[in-house]
Amino acid sequence: MSSEAITESDVEAAADRVSSRVRRVAVAPADSGTVPNAPVWLAYEFMQHGGSFKARGALNLTLYHQENGTMPAEGIAIASGGNAAIAAAWAGRAAGAKVTVFVPETAPAVKVDRLRALGADVRLRGTVYAHALEASIEYAEATGALLSHAYDHPLIAAGAGTCAAEIREQVPDIDTVMVAVGGGGLFAGTAAAMFPHGVRVVAVEPENCRALNAALAASGPTDVDVDSVASDSLGARRVSQTAYRLATDPLATSVLVSDKEIVAARSALWEHRRVAVEHGAAAAMAALLSGRYTPREGERIAVVLCGANTDPSDL
């Protein structure tokens, strides 16, 4: 498996590995008036173990290395703003592997508390994801721990793609899947699962967390500034090469939304559906509700609500 390409066969292999341990995504039709003349389904992936889609990729990576005898005694080291670390901690506990996580000091307390409850060794480093990543690399080099990644790893992305495969099984004639993008793991896995079937993937980012959108403009991954209400989960400074390459496919569409639109979508999900998701998970819905993405007549759309590790007190 190349570090810069994943295919549907990689997603299928991940599904064989993790399907008996992850929760199958629930897919439900949205209100008929969500978008005029375009049927919409909501994929409730925020109900996944660990509170986000990232449990799929973390478990795929953990089980792969255990199956192949390549899991070191020091277990896994990972840097994350929260969700990927929670997923790694859950997967490690489920598979009996040690997990050490590095998170920025700015990570939400609700996520740090969850990490510790899952038994992870939590280490706070720096103020942004890049600082935590540097610390995780140094730790892995010093101890021999297996260095995982929040999104830029083929096993992580392939695991994330199993959610999209489950959506297509439940809505076989789906036309479009909309996903939020940080570093691009969910987008890459979704694209690998959907493009072979002619299904479009809309990649939605905050205007000030636009790593994928900027990569497309620059003809390759480039560093971006991060400043958004959703930066705790979508705050990657650089998109993966895998996600960038898949985003150049004609079936991919890049859309930007404002923080105001994200907040409004998150509030609407709560007010009208009693669904409490984090800001990053509301980004894909924001593109639809704000009109930043305008569906074709009769376009059948699935919106992935990918995470719920949030403090609901501000809803």
Side-chain angles (χ1 to χ4, degrees):
M1 183 186 297
S2 167
S3 62
E4 295 187 357
I6 61 170
T7 66
E8 187 178 22
S9 64
D10 296 321
V11 176
E12 291 170 346
D16 289 341
R17 195 172 287 123
V18 308
S19 61
S20 65
R21 301 201 189 192
V22 299
R23 293 171 179 155
R24 182 175 173 84
V25 66
V27 181
D31 300 336
S32 58
T34 299
V35 179
N37 304 315
V40 177
W41 283 262
L42 301 180
Y44 290 169
E45 183 63 3
F46 61 87
M47 299 171 66
Q48 189 53 258
H49 292 292
S52 84
F53 75 95
K54 289 181 179 289
R56 296 172 181 270
L59 186 61
N60 188 41
L61 179 141
T62 302
L63 294 180
Y64 173 89
H65 283 285
Q66 287 189 329
E67 290 171 4
N68 289 276
T70 50
M71 178 65 72
E74 285 298 315
I76 293 171
I78 183 171
S80 167
N83 282 345
I86 289 171
W90 170 80
R93 188 173 71 171
K98 178 182 177 181
V99 177
T100 303
V101 299
F102 295 80
V103 299
E105 295 172 5
T106 53
V110 64
K111 295 184 179 181
V112 174
D113 291 345
R114 185 70 184 279
L115 281 168
R116 289 175 172 147
L118 286 167
D121 178 0
V122 182
R123 307 190 182 194
L124 304 178
R125 297 289 189 275
T127 57
V128 295
Y129 170 74
H131 299 156
L133 177 61
E134 182 179 357
S136 72
I137 293 171
E138 292 174 354
Y139 175 83
E141 291 175 346
T143 65
L146 176 67
L147 185 63
S148 183
H149 197 281
Y151 56 87
D152 194 4
H153 192 290
L155 289 168
I156 297 292
T162 62
C163 177
E166 291 173 7
I167 292 171
R168 198 176 66 81
E169 289 172 3
Q170 296 174 67
V171 191
D173 52 356
I174 197 74
D175 296 311
T176 302
V177 177
M178 303 182 69
V179 298
V181 177
L186 178 59
F187 167 77
T190 301
M194 291 303 195
F195 286 174
H197 304 278
V199 178
R200 299 192 63 84
V201 180
V202 178
V204 184
E205 298 172 280
E207 289 175 335
N208 295 319
C209 281
R210 50 184 292 267
L212 179 60
N213 183 267
L216 291 171
S219 298
T222 184
D223 288 343
V224 299
D225 292 331
V226 172
D227 181 18
S228 170
V229 68
S231 62
D232 63 308
S233 55
L234 303 183
R237 290 189 175 276
R238 176 182 286 252
V239 77
S240 72
Q241 183 70 24
T242 303
Y244 163 69
R245 289 191 176 185
L246 287 165
T248 62
D249 190 284
L251 287 172
T253 300
S254 173
V255 174
L256 299 178
V257 292
S258 70
D259 276 5
K260 182 178 179 180
E261 289 161 346
I262 291 171
V263 170
R266 181 171 178 261
S267 296
L269 285 166
W270 173 249
E271 290 297 330
H272 302 303
R273 296 175 175 83
R274 283 299 183 260
V275 168
V277 298
E278 56 196 84
H279 287 99
M285 193 67 174
L288 204 56
L289 296 181
S290 67
R292 295 286 187 122
Y293 180 76
T294 304
R296 304 183 306 275
E297 179 80 18
E299 184 176 354
R300 299 165 67 84
I301 300 169
V303 180
V304 181
L305 304 178
C306 58
N309 288 312
T310 186
D311 181 351
S313 64
D314 60 352
L315 284 168

